[in-house]
Amino acid sequence: MGAAEFQAVLFDLDGVLVDSELQANTVWVQLLAEHGLEIDLPTFMANAVGGTHVVLFEWLRRDHGWTRPDGFISEMDARLHEAFGSTQAIEGAARTLELLRESGLPFAVASNSLRSRLERKLEASGLAAVVGKHAYDPAHVGGRGKPAPDLYAYAAAQLGADISRCVVIEDSVTGLSAGVAAGAMAWGLLAGGHVHPDNAAHLTAAGARRILRTHTELQQVLELEI
């Protein structure tokens, strides 16, 4: 199933194009510990990857009895801004986007990140120029982030594509579920440094039609390599 089968490719950002999940979650775990809540990194990431901060804070309140103190958000923002200044593109991601551009197949990024963080990571990773204006966050759809389908549906519409003729590339169940709910084909890409061994099974159960391990594999499946 090559690129000719699709009208557009819709990418998640963290863990799909940029290797930022470990950066972000390490900051979270460290700051939570400073504010009285000790959670190991794997447990935190299992609950945090792919989700919004609203959902994350609710989980912390419900399961750990922890409510964020005054000033927590501003402190978190400052630390994440600093950390994301060194965000790296996942190996092969830039090439994937360049090949898509050369092929004429439209693509967009749809991320649960706040817009300022989305832009920071794209700039730091060197992907901002090739992505251009087609980088979308929940603020574009009234705050309805993944797993709601709105963000992927909106991204497809901005490209002038029928969502049912789009493929969504995701690394989390939350994001992949959003793509499936929107009506897109959804593939799992486990190329980031944070990948958990059972992600493939979870993504398949959530509706992933393919599981890919590298951007080279993605390029080959989309028949982009020249």
Side-chain angles (χ1 to χ4, degrees), residues 33-56:
E34 293 172 21
H35 287 278
L37 181 60
E38 297 278 352
I39 301 180
D40 64 88
L41 185 59
T43 298
F44 185 84
M45 292 186 72
N47 288 275
V49 169
T52 64
H53 285 179
V54 172
V55 173
L56 182 53

Side-chain angles (χ1 to χ4, degrees), residues 140-165:
H140 285 95
V141 290
R144 296 181 300 278
K146 308 170 194 176
D150 306 59
L151 190 53
Y152 276 123
Y154 180 85
Q158 298 311 297
L159 295 174
D162 179 345
I163 188 65
S164 68
R165 295 286 308 283

Side-chain angles (χ1 to χ4, degrees), residues 37-109:
L37 181 60
E38 297 278 352
I39 301 180
D40 64 88
L41 185 59
T43 298
F44 185 84
M45 292 186 72
N47 288 275
V49 169
T52 64
H53 285 179
V54 172
V55 173
L56 182 53
F57 282 127
E58 174 58 23
W59 167 66
L60 293 172
R61 183 200 62 77
R62 184 186 67 246
D63 288 17
H64 297 276
W66 185 89
T67 302
R68 68 179 185 268
D70 292 342
F72 184 87
I73 294 292
S74 59
E75 189 173 2
M76 175 62 67
D77 285 343
R79 293 199 188 186
L80 288 174
H81 183 80
E82 181 178 359
F84 291 148
S86 59
T87 297
Q88 299 294 306
I90 289 174
E91 184 177 358
R95 181 62 175 159
T96 296
L97 299 185
E98 289 164 3
L99 288 170
L100 284 169
R101 184 169 62 180
E102 290 170 10
S103 74
L105 181 62
F107 61 89
V109 172

